[in-house]
Amino acid sequence: MFNYNKLWETMEKKGITKYRLTVDHNIRKSLLHRMRKNESVSMNTLDNLCNILDCEIEDVVTHYKDSRD
């Protein structure tokens, strides 16, 4: 399972809004919506966000091990 809460924190620290991501960096609103719901996204997307935010992947996403037996 993935959680993108760190993305929103990193964006706030960097002073970048969802509006700026969509307008200045052509990030689709639907992608941000998927991330808001902690749905999976491509590694390309994560790479792009890390480059835009000048951060590491750990500043964008957290992985939690599934509790499946």
Side-chain angles (χ1 to χ4, degrees):
M1 181 172 135
F2 295 100
N3 183 288
Y4 299 100
N5 287 339
K6 288 189 175 184
L7 168 64
W8 317 119
E9 294 169 11
T10 300
M11 286 172 55
E12 187 173 335
K13 287 179 190 173
K14 302 278 184 168
I16 297 177
T17 63
K18 288 183 277 186
Y19 177 79
R20 286 286 125 212
L21 283 178
T22 59
V23 172
D24 296 343
H25 302 285
N26 299 315
I27 301 293
R28 296 182 321 264
K29 289 180 185 180
S30 61
L31 175 68
L32 295 175
H33 180 72
R34 287 176 53 93
M35 295 179 86
R36 180 64 70 191
K37 293 171 55 178
N38 291 320
E39 295 178 358
S40 61
V41 297
S42 73
M43 290 302 290
N44 250 2
T45 295
L46 295 175
D47 181 50
N48 192 21
L49 287 169
C50 288
N51 287 326
I52 291 168
L53 296 170
D54 189 30
C55 67
E56 300 297 323
I57 195 165
E58 295 86 8
D59 299 321
V60 175
V61 62
T62 304
H63 175 260
Y64 296 99
K65 188 174 181 178
D66 287 337
S67 58
R68 296 181 215 170
D69 291 326

